[in-house]
């Protein structure tokens, strides 16, 4: 499934984008992840991931992303632009269309603002 995400990112001109889940430390599905646990995961694991990959854009996935996106840049101590996409994007054909539309809007936003 991730291959489909990356092929779409490449198609829309984001060859050096890094697609990632924010939460790297998994608990049982029914368990709640605390804000401190999320921060620890981001600062310990995601920051190392970004250091290795050196992307032009970070594309985050998942439900919690929209709640956390404003904190991530400060936690990672980076100015790399970040964009959140829905995780469901490859499940059904209408969801794939929504994913592609989100990438198209992102490309237009970046072109107009010269973010990357």
């Amino acid at each position: 499934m991730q291959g489909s995400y990356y092929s779409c990112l490449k198609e829309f001109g984001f060859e050096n984008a890094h697609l990632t889940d924010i939460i790297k430390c998994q608990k049982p599905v029914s368990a709640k992840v605390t804000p401190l646990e999320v921060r620890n995961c981001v600062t310990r694991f995601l920051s190392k991931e970004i250091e290795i990959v050196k992307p032009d854009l970070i594309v985050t996935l998942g439900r919690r992303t929209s709640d956390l996106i404003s904190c991530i840049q400060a936690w990672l101590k980076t100015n790399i632009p970040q964009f959140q996409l829905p995780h469901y994007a490859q499940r059904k054909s209408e969801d794939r269309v929504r994913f592609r539309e989100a990438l198209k809007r992102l490309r237009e936003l970046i072109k107009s603002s010269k973010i990357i």
Side-chain angles (χ1 to χ4, degrees):
M1 191 180 301
Q2 231 183 21
S4 296
Y5 283 124
Y6 276 107
S7 63
C8 282
L9 286 167
K10 185 175 180 179
E11 177 184 339
F12 283 91
F14 303 115
E15 291 84 5
N16 197 29
H18 182 56
L19 180 69
T20 189
D21 283 312
I22 291 175
I23 300 174
K24 306 293 182 187
C25 308
Q26 295 300 316
K27 293 175 101 175
V29 174
S30 60
K32 295 243 183 212
V33 180
T34 69
L36 181 59
E37 289 171 318
V38 172
R39 181 180 179 161
N40 288 339
C41 287
V42 167
T43 56
R44 289 183 65 208
F45 300 109
L46 184 59
S47 61
K48 187 65 174 173
E49 192 177 309
I50 299 307
E51 180 183 316
I52 292 167
V53 175
K54 297 179 183 15
D56 293 329
L57 175 70
I58 301 169
V59 180
T60 56
L61 298 167
R63 274 187 309 229
R64 299 279 318 272
T65 300
S66 57
D67 298 335
L68 301 170
I69 197 85
S70 61
C71 300
I72 296 168
Q73 194 164 11
W75 292 343
L76 291 177
K77 297 180 176 117
T78 182
N79 291 325
I80 299 170
Q82 298 157 41
F83 184 71
Q84 184 258 339
L85 290 174
H87 209 309
Y88 60 75
Q90 300 295 325
R91 292 189 186 153
K92 297 184 261 177
S93 64
E94 63 265 17
D95 293 334
R96 284 191 293 271
V97 169
R98 289 171 58 192
F99 178 72
R100 293 174 64 77
E101 288 171 355
L103 285 176
K104 184 178 179 182
R105 286 191 306 273
L106 174 61
R107 182 181 63 193
E108 291 167 2
L109 174 68
I110 288 173
K111 279 184 178 180
S112 68
S113 63
K114 298 183 174 43
I115 294 173
I116 57 175

